[in-house]
Amino acid sequence: MDVLNLTEDALEAKCVEWRRWFHEHPEVSTEEKKTSEKIFTILKDLGLDPVRGTDHYGVAATLKGGKPGPMVALRADIDALSVKEATGLPYASQNPGVMHACGHDIHITTLLETILRLLRRKEEIQGSVRILFQPSEELSPTGGARYMMKDGFLQDVKAIFGLHVWPSFVCGKIGVKAGAMMAGSDRIKVVIKGKTAHAGHPQEGIDAIMAAADFLQQISHIVSRRVSPLATATINIGTIRGGSRYNVVPDEVTLEGTIRTLDEENRKRIPEFIQDILDGLKKSAGVDCEFNYYYGYPVLDNWPVPAQLVRDTARKVLGDEGLVSQVVPDLTAEDFGFYLQEIPGAFLWLGCGTEGEPIHGLHDARMCPNENALVVGSKLMSQVVIDALAALEQGADFSKRE
């Protein structure tokens, strides 16, 4: 593809075409074969030398600038969700029961459009750009970020940047902040074991459902009494399974749920609090308990200097009105947090809503992002790359945490 001779209209039209192809052909985590092949082919057509992941469908490439210097990375996730699409779009999913309901089709194409813009400005780039198309972001608690890291795709990278579409922000606005921006997301499974008996002789059994009710009451006190009211955390039990018949004392109940936190210290302490409750139940109710805690995605914790660089660049590209002034952290989760545990960087929210139209949130079967977000995101991220490399070359310390 002759990027240099594409008009702006032609460039944007090509990216819309790509985005709609990705939207029509969604694939869930670990199954992103066609998506990966399409990305690989586009990158080859752009003159890059892409590399496939080891035992996964991730794709990486390196764009070298016109001048020597450090390396930064850009990441897009590529998987879809098991959601039956309800948008009514002419380019709706052709894969029944699977949809890009989290906007990863926009993420893929925004990164591709960013590459097009960077290729046009190659001589301005003081260093190089590692491009990451990551699979399995939705595969909690594993996450595809760790696949990319294991393959060494972050080697020599000095800073990393990424984005997520945000339906509650109108197109043309972005949100970013230093510090915790998205939640650490963990899962729990608790099995409470009692003793079965006839309901007419409850004293002969140990009621697992009653013990589960006590457990539910007590874990609600963790957030209100064991965690600082200045911190943010939530514990949600999403499923309860137990009992076999209306007139039988149940002998086993299984509860599963999620824990979301914005602080890694509280994240470490909450499992201890839950274990204390279960130890007490063993004594008070006579039950046995099995407790499994599955650590998932860490708190997405933006580094201050990269986050400020994104804000400064956004003002330059979008104007002051393009920045959301007060960005409130969200208790959804993102495995980009794994990258930020290893390398300085920042993650931003890209507005994709349309003024005056209903907001359909992430994972909603009706979600339909404004495609103008591609232009906004690619113009911003291409400038972020150029500004970040220049700052690093001039000695900026992206590794400051304070």
Side-chain angles (χ1 to χ4, degrees):
M1 183 185 300
D2 188 357
V3 176
L4 296 179
N5 291 322
L6 279 178
T7 66
E8 180 67 17
D9 287 346
L11 182 149
E12 293 176 15
K14 173 55 70 175
C15 292
V16 167
E17 176 189 320
W18 286 338
R19 182 260 162 164
R20 294 185 180 186
W21 188 94
F22 290 119
H23 192 83
E24 284 183 300
H25 301 88
E27 296 169 301
V28 297
S29 301
T30 76
E31 298 179 15
E32 309 98 331
K33 183 178 181 180
K34 290 182 179 179
T35 305
S36 178
E37 289 175 349
K38 180 76 169 179
I39 292 166
F40 192 91
T41 299
I42 292 171
L43 294 177
K44 289 283 285 185
D45 289 346
L46 293 176
L48 300 180
D49 189 17
V51 178
R52 292 184 171 92
T54 304
D55 300 322
H56 62 85
Y57 289 115
V59 178
T62 302
L63 192 164
K64 295 182 180 179
K67 306 168 188 176
M71 178 185 291
V72 299
L74 297 178
R75 171 272 206 171
D77 39 12
I78 69 174
D79 53 331
L81 289 161
S82 298
V83 172
K84 184 178 179 180
E85 183 160 353
T87 62
L89 293 168
Y91 52 89
S93 171
Q94 296 179 9
N95 188 356
V98 181
M99 177 193 173
H100 270 298
C102 203
H104 296 187
D105 53 334
I106 296 285
H107 302 169
I108 297 166
T109 317
T110 298
L111 182 48
L112 289 172
E113 187 166 333
T114 299
I115 295 167
L116 295 181
R117 296 186 186 281
L118 288 171
L119 287 171
R120 286 175 155 188
R121 304 174 66 183
K122 189 173 179 179
E123 296 309 311
E124 295 179 53
I125 300 174
Q126 295 180 276
S128 56
V129 189
R130 181 66 47 77
I131 298 153
L132 306 175
F133 289 93
Q134 177 211 301
S136 302
E137 189 280 325
E138 301 287 355
L139 192 65
S140 179
T142 305
R146 289 191 278 195
Y147 300 160
M148 306 296 277
M149 294 164 72
K150 186 177 179 181
D151 276 351
F153 291 149
L154 293 186
Q155 185 176 350
D156 300 324
V157 171
K158 303 303 181 185
I160 186 166
F161 300 91
L163 59 76
H164 203 297
V165 291
W166 213 246
S168 60
F169 295 170
V170 296
C171 186
K173 290 186 176 291
I174 69 107
V176 65
K177 67 179 291 295
M181 189 159 159
M182 299 180 78
S185 172
D186 303 323
R187 294 175 64 181
I188 61 169
K189 181 178 180 181
V190 173
V191 181
I192 297 174
K193 298 181 178 182
K195 179 183 177 184
T196 189
H198 193 288
H201 304 149
Q203 74 282 4
E204 296 176 2
I206 299 174
D207 192 330
I209 283 182
M210 291 297 289
D214 290 341
F215 173 72
L216 288 172
Q217 285 188 319
Q218 291 184 59
I219 61 169
S220 69
H221 299 156
I222 291 176
V223 172
S224 64
R225 289 295 178 266
R226 302 296 295 275
V227 173
S228 167
L230 299 177
T232 301
T234 185
I235 301 174
N236 181 78
I237 299 298
T239 67
I240 301 178
R241 300 184 301 276
S244 58
R245 185 176 164 83
Y246 78 98
N247 62 349
V248 175
V249 173
D251 66 341
E252 186 170 299
V253 174
T254 300
L255 306 97
E256 294 183 90
T258 185
I259 296 169
R260 305 294 173 108
T261 53
L262 289 175
D263 179 276
E264 287 292 339
E265 288 304 312
N266 281 325
R267 188 180 181 216
K268 293 174 184 175
R269 296 174 66 206
I270 286 176
E272 299 172 7
F273 297 151
I274 294 174
Q275 187 63 63
D276 289 345
I277 291 169
L278 293 173
D279 290 343
L281 273 181
K282 291 178 184 179
K283 295 179 181 178
S284 63
V287 294
D288 286 326
C289 302
E290 293 180 4
F291 175 37
N292 289 291
Y293 194 94
Y294 307 100
Y295 282 99
Y297 299 169
V299 176
L300 191 151
D301 191 5
N302 279 337
W303 294 66
V305 175
Q308 186 59 48
L309 182 139
V310 172
R311 290 180 62 85
D312 293 342
T313 303
R315 287 193 181 94
K316 181 163 51 178
V317 174
L318 306 175
D320 288 341
E321 65 277 10
L323 268 175
V324 175
S325 57
Q326 294 294 325
V327 177
V328 179
D330 197 85
L331 292 184
T332 52
E334 237 288 351
D335 76 346
F336 193 88
F338 285 122
Y339 297 124
L340 295 179
Q341 286 185 323
E342 301 293 329
I343 298 172
F347 193 75
L348 64 95
W349 293 335
L350 176 67
C352 68
T354 302
E355 193 77 47
E357 292 190 6
I359 296 172
H360 300 304
L362 304 178
H363 295 207
D364 190 315
R366 299 163 295 172
M367 184 188 170
C368 183
N370 188 325
E371 287 181 326
N372 288 328
L374 299 173
V375 177
V376 176
S378 62
K379 286 184 175 180
L380 173 62
M381 297 307 281
S382 56
Q383 190 63 50
V384 163
V385 165
I386 289 170
D387 290 352
L389 288 172
L392 287 165
E393 186 68 15
Q394 293 165 15
D397 185 0
F398 280 20
S399 65
K400 290 181 180 177
R401 268 301 190 185
E402 297 296 334

mmCIF file of all heavy atoms in Angstrom, residues 12 110 113-114 117 163 170-174 317-318 322 350-351 371-382:
data_model
loop_
_atom_site.group_PDB
_atom_site.id
_atom_site.type_symbol
_atom_site.label_atom_id
_atom_site.label_comp_id
_atom_site.label_asym_id
_atom_site.label_seq_id
_atom_site.Cartn_x
_atom_site.Cartn_y
_atom_site.Cartn_z
ATOM 1 N N GLU A 12 -8.835 7.326 5.632
ATOM 2 C CA GLU A 12 -9.933 7.085 6.565
ATOM 3 C C GLU A 12 -10.903 6.045 6.031
ATOM 4 O O GLU A 12 -11.402 5.190 6.783
ATOM 5 C CB GLU A 12 -10.648 8.397 6.874
ATOM 6 C CG GLU A 12 -9.792 9.386 7.661
ATOM 7 C CD GLU A 12 -10.474 10.730 7.869
ATOM 8 O OE1 GLU A 12 -11.710 10.803 7.658
ATOM 9 O OE2 GLU A 12 -9.783 11.691 8.242
ATOM 10 N N THR A 110 -7.790 1.325 15.005
ATOM 11 C CA THR A 110 -7.123 2.551 15.446
ATOM 12 C C THR A 110 -5.612 2.373 15.410
ATOM 13 O O THR A 110 -4.876 3.274 14.974
ATOM 14 C CB THR A 110 -7.567 2.943 16.867
ATOM 15 O OG1 THR A 110 -8.971 3.202 16.866
ATOM 16 C CG2 THR A 110 -6.842 4.185 17.352
ATOM 17 N N GLU A 113 -4.525 2.395 11.787
ATOM 18 C CA GLU A 113 -4.537 3.762 11.254
ATOM 19 C C GLU A 113 -3.396 4.579 11.850
ATOM 20 O O GLU A 113 -2.795 5.429 11.159
ATOM 21 C CB GLU A 113 -5.880 4.431 11.532
ATOM 22 C CG GLU A 113 -6.025 5.783 10.863
ATOM 23 C CD GLU A 113 -7.454 6.308 10.845
ATOM 24 O OE1 GLU A 113 -8.402 5.497 10.860
ATOM 25 O OE2 GLU A 113 -7.612 7.551 10.805
ATOM 26 N N THR A 114 -3.065 4.323 13.107
ATOM 27 C CA THR A 114 -1.917 4.988 13.722
ATOM 28 C C THR A 114 -0.638 4.642 12.971
ATOM 29 O O THR A 114 0.222 5.511 12.723
ATOM 30 C CB THR A 114 -1.791 4.572 15.204
ATOM 31 O OG1 THR A 114 -2.975 4.961 15.907
ATOM 32 C CG2 THR A 114 -0.577 5.213 15.859
ATOM 33 N N ARG A 117 -0.382 6.630 9.807
ATOM 34 C CA ARG A 117 0.016 8.020 10.060
ATOM 35 C C ARG A 117 1.496 8.108 10.438
ATOM 36 O O ARG A 117 2.190 9.063 10.061
ATOM 37 C CB ARG A 117 -0.873 8.626 11.150
ATOM 38 C CG ARG A 117 -2.343 8.719 10.734
ATOM 39 C CD ARG A 117 -3.201 9.448 11.760
ATOM 40 N NE ARG A 117 -4.601 9.391 11.375
ATOM 41 C CZ ARG A 117 -5.165 10.161 10.447
ATOM 42 N NH1 ARG A 117 -4.434 11.072 9.817
ATOM 43 N NH2 ARG A 117 -6.448 10.045 10.148
ATOM 44 N N LEU A 163 -5.201 2.048 24.596
ATOM 45 C CA LEU A 163 -6.475 2.749 24.771
ATOM 46 C C LEU A 163 -7.624 1.768 24.762
ATOM 47 O O LEU A 163 -7.498 0.615 24.345
ATOM 48 C CB LEU A 163 -6.655 3.808 23.674
ATOM 49 C CG LEU A 163 -6.647 3.387 22.201
ATOM 50 C CD1 LEU A 163 -7.953 2.726 21.763
ATOM 51 C CD2 LEU A 163 -6.361 4.592 21.299
ATOM 52 N N VAL A 170 -18.253 11.265 24.645
ATOM 53 C CA VAL A 170 -18.587 11.487 23.241
ATOM 54 C C VAL A 170 -17.311 11.445 22.402
ATOM 55 O O VAL A 170 -16.209 11.730 22.896
ATOM 56 C CB VAL A 170 -19.330 12.818 23.020
ATOM 57 C CG1 VAL A 170 -20.676 12.816 23.729
ATOM 58 C CG2 VAL A 170 -18.483 14.004 23.443
ATOM 59 N N CYS A 171 -17.477 11.077 21.152
ATOM 60 C CA CYS A 171 -16.355 11.031 20.223
ATOM 61 C C CYS A 171 -15.700 12.405 20.135
ATOM 62 O O CYS A 171 -16.381 13.426 20.015
ATOM 63 C CB CYS A 171 -16.848 10.590 18.856
ATOM 64 S SG CYS A 171 -15.542 10.314 17.658
ATOM 65 N N GLY A 172 -14.373 12.412 20.217
ATOM 66 C CA GLY A 172 -13.633 13.671 20.227
ATOM 67 C C GLY A 172 -13.043 13.982 21.579
ATOM 68 O O GLY A 172 -12.232 14.891 21.714
ATOM 69 N N LYS A 173 -13.445 13.207 22.605
ATOM 70 C CA LYS A 173 -12.901 13.391 23.949
ATOM 71 C C LYS A 173 -12.143 12.149 24.379
ATOM 72 O O LYS A 173 -12.475 11.030 23.977
ATOM 73 C CB LYS A 173 -14.021 13.692 24.949
ATOM 74 C CG LYS A 173 -14.662 15.059 24.779
ATOM 75 C CD LYS A 173 -15.658 15.339 25.883
ATOM 76 C CE LYS A 173 -16.231 16.741 25.783
ATOM 77 N NZ LYS A 173 -15.224 17.782 26.097
ATOM 78 N N ILE A 174 -11.128 12.369 25.213
ATOM 79 C CA ILE A 174 -10.396 11.243 25.796
ATOM 80 C C ILE A 174 -10.241 11.491 27.289
ATOM 81 O O ILE A 174 -10.275 12.630 27.762
ATOM 82 C CB ILE A 174 -9.026 11.019 25.128
ATOM 83 C CG1 ILE A 174 -8.031 12.171 25.443
ATOM 84 C CG2 ILE A 174 -9.172 10.857 23.639
ATOM 85 C CD1 ILE A 174 -6.946 11.792 26.416
ATOM 86 N N VAL A 317 -3.357 18.023 20.212
ATOM 87 C CA VAL A 317 -4.042 17.422 19.063
ATOM 88 C C VAL A 317 -5.531 17.740 19.052
ATOM 89 O O VAL A 317 -6.112 18.032 18.002
ATOM 90 C CB VAL A 317 -3.825 15.888 19.061
ATOM 91 C CG1 VAL A 317 -4.640 15.217 17.952
ATOM 92 C CG2 VAL A 317 -2.355 15.553 18.910
ATOM 93 N N LEU A 318 -6.157 17.696 20.242
ATOM 94 C CA LEU A 318 -7.620 17.816 20.325
ATOM 95 C C LEU A 318 -8.093 19.138 20.916
ATOM 96 O O LEU A 318 -9.285 19.442 20.851
ATOM 97 C CB LEU A 318 -8.180 16.663 21.177
ATOM 98 C CG LEU A 318 -7.786 15.243 20.760
ATOM 99 C CD1 LEU A 318 -8.314 14.232 21.770
ATOM 100 C CD2 LEU A 318 -8.302 14.923 19.366
ATOM 101 N N GLY A 322 -10.920 18.584 24.309
ATOM 102 C CA GLY A 322 -10.838 17.158 24.037
ATOM 103 C C GLY A 322 -10.511 16.315 25.253
ATOM 104 O O GLY A 322 -10.634 15.091 25.209
ATOM 105 N N LEU A 350 -10.930 6.302 25.088
ATOM 106 C CA LEU A 350 -11.222 7.012 23.849
ATOM 107 C C LEU A 350 -12.735 7.131 23.671
ATOM 108 O O LEU A 350 -13.425 6.118 23.526
ATOM 109 C CB LEU A 350 -10.607 6.247 22.664
ATOM 110 C CG LEU A 350 -10.876 6.775 21.254
ATOM 111 C CD1 LEU A 350 -10.184 8.120 21.050
ATOM 112 C CD2 LEU A 350 -10.399 5.749 20.220
ATOM 113 N N GLY A 351 -13.238 8.362 23.688
ATOM 114 C CA GLY A 351 -14.667 8.565 23.524
ATOM 115 C C GLY A 351 -15.176 7.993 22.212
ATOM 116 O O GLY A 351 -14.566 8.190 21.161
ATOM 117 N N GLU A 371 -17.583 5.602 14.488
ATOM 118 C CA GLU A 371 -16.355 5.277 13.753
ATOM 119 C C GLU A 371 -15.404 6.457 13.621
ATOM 120 O O GLU A 371 -14.220 6.262 13.288
ATOM 121 C CB GLU A 371 -16.708 4.729 12.369
ATOM 122 C CG GLU A 371 -17.267 3.312 12.427
ATOM 123 C CD GLU A 371 -17.587 2.748 11.057
ATOM 124 O OE1 GLU A 371 -18.012 3.521 10.167
ATOM 125 O OE2 GLU A 371 -17.433 1.517 10.881
ATOM 126 N N ASN A 372 -15.866 7.665 13.899
ATOM 127 C CA ASN A 372 -14.948 8.807 13.901
ATOM 128 C C ASN A 372 -13.890 8.688 14.992
ATOM 129 O O ASN A 372 -12.878 9.392 14.964
ATOM 130 C CB ASN A 372 -15.726 10.115 14.061
ATOM 131 C CG ASN A 372 -16.513 10.474 12.815
ATOM 132 O OD1 ASN A 372 -16.087 10.162 11.707
ATOM 133 N ND2 ASN A 372 -17.661 11.109 12.991
ATOM 134 N N ALA A 373 -14.136 7.788 15.947
ATOM 135 C CA ALA A 373 -13.134 7.539 16.987
ATOM 136 C C ALA A 373 -11.824 7.044 16.387
ATOM 137 O O ALA A 373 -10.749 7.239 16.965
ATOM 138 C CB ALA A 373 -13.666 6.535 18.008
ATOM 139 N N LEU A 374 -11.895 6.397 15.227
ATOM 140 C CA LEU A 374 -10.665 5.924 14.569
ATOM 141 C C LEU A 374 -9.736 7.077 14.236
ATOM 142 O O LEU A 374 -8.519 6.999 14.456
ATOM 143 C CB LEU A 374 -11.019 5.169 13.286
ATOM 144 C CG LEU A 374 -11.882 3.911 13.406
ATOM 145 C CD1 LEU A 374 -12.269 3.406 12.022
ATOM 146 C CD2 LEU A 374 -11.139 2.828 14.180
ATOM 147 N N VAL A 375 -10.293 8.145 13.708
ATOM 148 C CA VAL A 375 -9.495 9.312 13.333
ATOM 149 C C VAL A 375 -8.936 9.984 14.580
ATOM 150 O O VAL A 375 -7.738 10.309 14.662
ATOM 151 C CB VAL A 375 -10.334 10.310 12.515
ATOM 152 C CG1 VAL A 375 -9.524 11.563 12.194
ATOM 153 C CG2 VAL A 375 -10.836 9.656 11.234
ATOM 154 N N VAL A 376 -9.810 10.186 15.571
ATOM 155 C CA VAL A 376 -9.378 10.836 16.809
ATOM 156 C C VAL A 376 -8.267 10.032 17.468
ATOM 157 O O VAL A 376 -7.203 10.564 17.834
ATOM 158 C CB VAL A 376 -10.568 11.002 17.784
ATOM 159 C CG1 VAL A 376 -10.096 11.590 19.116
ATOM 160 C CG2 VAL A 376 -11.648 11.872 17.172
ATOM 161 N N GLY A 377 -8.498 8.724 17.620
ATOM 162 C CA GLY A 377 -7.517 7.881 18.298
ATOM 163 C C GLY A 377 -6.203 7.781 17.559
ATOM 164 O O GLY A 377 -5.128 7.833 18.170
ATOM 165 N N SER A 378 -6.252 7.655 16.234
ATOM 166 C CA SER A 378 -5.010 7.488 15.477
ATOM 167 C C SER A 378 -4.199 8.778 15.421
ATOM 168 O O SER A 378 -2.961 8.747 15.496
ATOM 169 C CB SER A 378 -5.317 6.985 14.070
ATOM 170 O OG SER A 378 -6.100 7.912 13.346
ATOM 171 N N LYS A 379 -4.870 9.906 15.288
ATOM 172 C CA LYS A 379 -4.130 11.173 15.301
ATOM 173 C C LYS A 379 -3.473 11.401 16.657
ATOM 174 O O LYS A 379 -2.317 11.841 16.742
ATOM 175 C CB LYS A 379 -5.067 12.332 14.958
ATOM 176 C CG LYS A 379 -5.456 12.408 13.492
ATOM 177 C CD LYS A 379 -6.318 13.630 13.195
ATOM 178 C CE LYS A 379 -6.604 13.750 11.699
ATOM 179 N NZ LYS A 379 -7.447 14.936 11.392
ATOM 180 N N LEU A 380 -4.202 11.077 17.715
ATOM 181 C CA LEU A 380 -3.642 11.249 19.060
ATOM 182 C C LEU A 380 -2.483 10.299 19.295
ATOM 183 O O LEU A 380 -1.393 10.712 19.716
ATOM 184 C CB LEU A 380 -4.727 11.024 20.109
ATOM 185 C CG LEU A 380 -4.245 11.013 21.563
ATOM 186 C CD1 LEU A 380 -3.641 12.360 21.946
ATOM 187 C CD2 LEU A 380 -5.380 10.637 22.514
ATOM 188 N N MET A 381 -2.676 9.005 19.019
ATOM 189 C CA MET A 381 -1.647 8.028 19.360
ATOM 190 C C MET A 381 -0.397 8.180 18.513
ATOM 191 O O MET A 381 0.715 7.929 18.992
ATOM 192 C CB MET A 381 -2.216 6.612 19.235
ATOM 193 C CG MET A 381 -3.358 6.320 20.204
ATOM 194 S SD MET A 381 -2.969 6.657 21.943
ATOM 195 C CE MET A 381 -2.005 5.208 22.368
ATOM 196 N N SER A 382 -0.546 8.591 17.263
ATOM 197 C CA SER A 382 0.653 8.825 16.451
ATOM 198 C C SER A 382 1.476 9.974 17.020
ATOM 199 O O SER A 382 2.716 9.916 17.050
ATOM 200 C CB SER A 382 0.282 9.084 14.990
ATOM 201 O OG SER A 382 -0.617 10.164 14.866
#
